[in-house]
Amino acid sequence: MPSAPQTDHVSFSVLQPTALEGLITELRSRNYRVIAPVLSEGAIELAEIGSLDDLPVGVDDEQSPGRYRVRRDASPTRFGFAVGPQSLKKYLHPAEHVLGR
């Protein structure tokens, strides 16, 4: 089987807070639910957010086998953590779905 092509270049973009707030506002104005990581009961969870203020700032996580801990620091960084204990499955494949009313 042929291997996947190797790339030496990785590109990414960083949104400034005002641009990220604008994106959240625009999505919500179009009646989309914005799901993002939030800090809840000592863990990073996925939940619906209403604004940029709902995102954790200065939060890092420590993970090892059988251990998960959230740490706070003074940095202004958002998304400074790895994947939390939840997946997007409950949002992408809900257990119940209303077909009509």
Side-chain angles (χ1 to χ4, degrees), residues 87-94:
S87 74
L88 284 169
K89 183 177 180 179
K90 74 177 187 179
Y91 297 104
L92 298 175
H93 305 287

Side-chain angles (χ1 to χ4, degrees), residues 41-82:
E41 298 183 22
I44 301 295
E45 293 184 353
L46 296 173
E48 186 170 351
I49 64 168
S51 73
L52 187 67
D53 295 333
D54 296 332
L55 296 175
V57 177
V59 174
D60 187 8
D61 65 345
E62 184 179 301
Q63 298 186 35
S64 60
R67 180 182 169 103
Y68 175 85
R69 182 179 359 175
V70 172
R71 299 180 298 201
R72 290 192 170 269
D73 60 29
S75 78
T77 305
R78 290 178 175 85
F79 306 107
F81 40 84

